Amino acid sequence: MNQFTRFLDGDRLSRLFTIPKVNMTDIIEIIIISFIIYHLIKLIKDTRAWMLFKGIIVLFLVATIASVFRLNTILWIFANTINVGIIAILIVFQPELRRALEQLGQRNFLASIVQFEDQKDKGERFSNFTIDELIKAVYELAGTKTGALIVVEQDIKLTEYERTGIPVDAVVTSQILMNIFEHNTPLHDGAIIIRNNRIVAATCYLPLSDNMKLSKELGTRHRAALGISEVSDSITIIVSEETGKVSISIGGNLIRNVNGEYLKNKLQYIQKKSIDVKKFKLWKGRQKNEKSTN
């Protein structure tokens, strides 16, 4: 009987250390889950939600210890507050969850996996004349330390923020841009939105970034530029009223003190970033991304 018991114990021990059989479905599930977890962590790493996320991990560790040592009172508290806790997490993480869903729905993200037939060659977003006039106006404004906030739209439409301003619908020229941001004019306050070769609206209100790592010497104009770049694929040009320096914000990154050549290269990059698809493709090769500068 003792030998039979030892056999059972040995068999159970061998099953414990047996490597489970892994098939192709398991591998696909592991890759998908790893991809989702990685991007969720990357999304909240530089936000205030990161500290809350670490606090939740500590709570789950406490619950695990309580389960091992049978601390029934602590387990009872966790069991009766878990439903409320889930709702509280959704409320606390609401900005991050909204940002995640917005990024999930971005056309560029979906286009990196699946291409559709209705995506035709769009050509250039705007003309070289628009680029030249934009750069000329920006550095004229910088020379006189006139503050400016210019949002150049890409794939994601900024209609929601366009409605907060005053419709303009004018061709992009340096004279119009400088006149808009001139002090004590009706349209100088707020941001302008450029779509293709036209200024569609002025005095627009943009969402402010809650990035705690943003330098305290930067004001509302820079925080608004960073905020719109976090919720869209637009590129925003900022002229500082205090220093006259030119900065740009794109993809949640703020690049400060840029010169005219750098700005022109960025604008030419998004100008020619068009979609050229002739038929349905299941997978598109990943394009080489530019290295972001903080």
Side-chain angles (χ1 to χ4, degrees):
M1 189 67 178
N2 291 335
Q3 291 180 352
F4 183 68
T5 304
R6 284 197 299 269
F7 171 78
L8 287 178
D9 291 338
D11 185 58
R12 185 165 52 187
L13 187 62
S14 65
R15 289 199 304 269
L16 183 63
F17 290 98
T18 299
I19 299 175
K21 184 179 180 181
V22 179
N23 54 38
M24 185 57 66
T25 304
D26 297 324
I27 295 174
I28 293 173
E29 286 182 341
I30 291 172
I31 293 173
I32 293 174
I33 293 173
S34 301
F35 178 83
I36 293 173
I37 293 175
Y38 168 76
H39 281 277
L40 284 175
I41 293 175
K42 184 179 177 182
L43 181 67
I44 67 173
K45 187 180 69 172
D46 295 327
T47 66
R48 60 183 179 181
W50 180 244
M51 298 301 295
L52 297 174
F53 180 73
K54 291 195 290 186
I56 291 172
I57 292 176
V58 172
L59 289 177
F60 275 106
L61 288 176
V62 171
T64 302
I65 294 173
S67 178
V68 171
F69 291 99
R70 299 182 182 279
L71 305 177
N72 296 326
T73 303
I74 295 177
L75 291 175
W76 181 87
I77 293 173
F78 273 101
N80 286 274
T81 57
I82 187 66
N83 293 331
V84 178
I86 292 174
I87 297 174
I89 290 172
L90 293 176
I91 294 173
V92 171
F93 284 89
Q94 185 269 337
E96 285 72 22
L97 290 173
R98 178 181 176 183
R99 189 178 307 161
L101 292 174
E102 287 172 342
Q103 292 182 3
L104 187 64
Q106 285 184 12
R107 191 179 306 174
N108 289 340
F109 176 82
L110 294 176
S112 65
I113 300 175
V114 177
Q115 293 285 357
F116 297 96
E117 289 183 354
D118 61 347
Q119 292 176 313
K120 304 297 182 181
D121 185 7
K122 293 183 178 179
E124 294 180 340
R125 297 181 187 277
F126 38 78
S127 65
N128 290 328
F129 175 79
T130 296
I131 294 178
D132 293 338
E133 291 296 297
L134 190 53
I135 293 174
K136 180 181 178 181
V138 164
Y139 286 94
E140 286 283 346
L141 292 168
T144 58
K145 291 187 177 181
T146 303
L149 191 57
I150 303 170
V151 184
V152 181
E153 184 184 82
Q154 292 198 63
D155 287 330
I156 298 178
K157 298 299 181 183
L158 303 176
T159 309
E160 174 185 353
Y161 307 102
E162 178 187 342
R163 292 191 186 119
T164 65
I166 299 173
V168 176
D169 192 24
V171 175
V172 177
T173 64
S174 58
Q175 293 85 354
I176 291 178
L177 290 171
M178 288 187 290
N179 188 69
I180 287 175
F181 290 109
E182 184 65 34
H183 289 293
N184 302 321
T185 57
L187 302 179
H188 85 282
D189 193 20
I192 68 168
I193 296 176
I194 294 177
R195 179 179 300 131
N196 300 327
N197 293 302
R198 305 190 71 83
I199 305 169
V200 294
T203 69
C204 299
Y205 293 103
L206 305 180
L208 299 181
S209 172
D210 58 357
N211 189 343
M212 303 304 293
K213 293 185 178 181
L214 194 63
S215 175
K216 299 299 181 183
E217 66 183 29
L218 300 177
T220 305
R221 187 175 285 114
H222 290 80
R223 192 170 288 277
L226 192 60
I228 192 65
S229 74
E230 290 173 345
V231 299
S232 73
D233 60 351
S234 62
I235 178 171
T236 305
I237 306 168
I238 315 104
V239 179
S240 174
E241 191 171 348
E242 290 75 20
T243 64
K245 300 292 185 181
V246 178
S247 305
I248 64 173
S249 180
I250 184 170
N253 293 317
L254 183 65
I255 308 169
R256 302 176 63 186
N257 304 334
V258 301
N259 56 31
E261 182 180 359
Y262 185 90
L263 178 58
K264 186 173 184 178
N265 289 336
K266 279 289 186 183
L267 291 173
Q268 287 178 337
Y269 173 75
I270 66 171
Q271 173 198 28
K272 298 174 182 178
K273 191 174 67 173
S274 59
I275 300 172
D276 187 9
V277 179
K278 303 302 182 184
K279 60 182 179 179
F280 177 82
K281 295 180 181 179
L282 185 60
W283 179 263
K284 182 187 76 171
R286 187 179 297 275
Q287 294 180 348
K288 187 181 292 183
N289 293 325
E290 285 190 307
K291 201 171 184 180
S292 62
T293 305
N294 291 323

